[in-house]
Amino acid sequence: MGVTDRIWGALVSVIKLEDKVTQQTAAMKSQQAKIENLTERVIRLETMLEIALSVRGAALPAPVAAPALPKPKQHRE
């Protein structure tokens, strides 16, 4: 009976694992839909900001440049 019990246990584990994978897939789809919705909202907000600034006659601020790294010191021998 030991072999039968191990086979049965393996089948039960596979069924439980399949259920967990199905639940995670549903949760991932829900999260993806929320992310896409937020992305669309950010795009709309950016567009409204650009329109408002252009109507006002202001330009968008220039992106901030990264500071320059110092030059490495050369060793003299």
Side-chain angles (χ1 to χ4, degrees):
M1 262 264 264
V3 173
T4 306
D5 289 337
R6 284 190 284 176
I7 292 173
W8 184 255
L11 288 173
V12 169
S13 295
V14 168
I15 291 170
K16 288 180 182 178
L17 184 60
E18 180 187 9
D19 184 49
K20 288 180 182 180
V21 169
T22 303
Q23 290 174 358
Q24 289 298 317
T25 301
M28 187 172 49
K29 286 180 182 179
S30 172
Q31 289 297 319
Q32 184 64 32
K34 289 177 184 177
I35 290 169
E36 290 173 3
N37 182 23
L38 288 173
T39 301
E40 291 170 1
R41 291 177 67 188
V42 167
I43 290 170
R44 286 194 302 268
L45 286 171
E46 288 175 338
T47 303
M48 290 190 307
L49 176 63
E50 289 176 1
I51 291 170
L53 289 175
S54 67
V55 167
R56 200 176 111 198
L60 288 176
V64 177
L69 296 174
K71 294 181 181 178
K73 295 181 180 179
Q74 295 179 353
H75 292 81
R76 296 183 186 199
E77 293 180 24

